[in-house]
Amino acid sequence: MRNVITFPALIVQREFEARSFGLLIGLRPRISQFRLRLRARAGRLVRDWSGGYRAALLLCVALDLVAAAIVLRPPTKRL
């Protein structure tokens, strides 16, 4: 449970300027909630469109893979 609390703050501290820390930490839960709601609605629409849960599950897996690719991309050079 400790990583859920400390990890986001450490990442923000490392990747962004100090003056942005409060804003970014405050936005994190809002972005997370938006993502969860969007994912649930997209899954529901795909389930209704396809008539089953298989396509909705595959959509969730695809979204997780895209998110992992974004997180694991090589770092870019800072100017």
Side-chain angles (χ1 to χ4, degrees):
M1 185 67 174
R2 180 185 289 165
N3 288 342
V4 173
I5 297 169
T6 59
F7 235 30
L10 291 173
I11 293 169
V12 168
Q13 182 181 15
R14 179 175 180 256
E15 297 295 327
F16 297 95
E17 297 176 11
R19 63 184 168 153
S20 305
F21 183 80
L23 173 71
L24 294 170
I25 290 299
L27 282 175
R28 191 185 66 81
R30 287 164 182 79
I31 292 169
S32 179
Q33 286 296 317
F34 176 76
R35 180 187 57 85
L36 289 172
R37 288 182 184 144
L38 182 65
R39 186 173 178 171
R41 286 185 182 163
R44 204 172 316 125
L45 287 172
V46 171
R47 181 200 65 199
D48 293 344
W49 173 74
S50 68
Y53 285 99
R54 184 177 177 91
L57 179 62
L58 291 175
L59 173 67
C60 290
V61 169
L63 290 173
D64 283 343
L65 291 174
V66 168
I70 291 170
V71 169
L72 296 174
R73 75 183 186 279
T76 57
K77 287 187 178 182
R78 292 187 181 194
L79 297 176

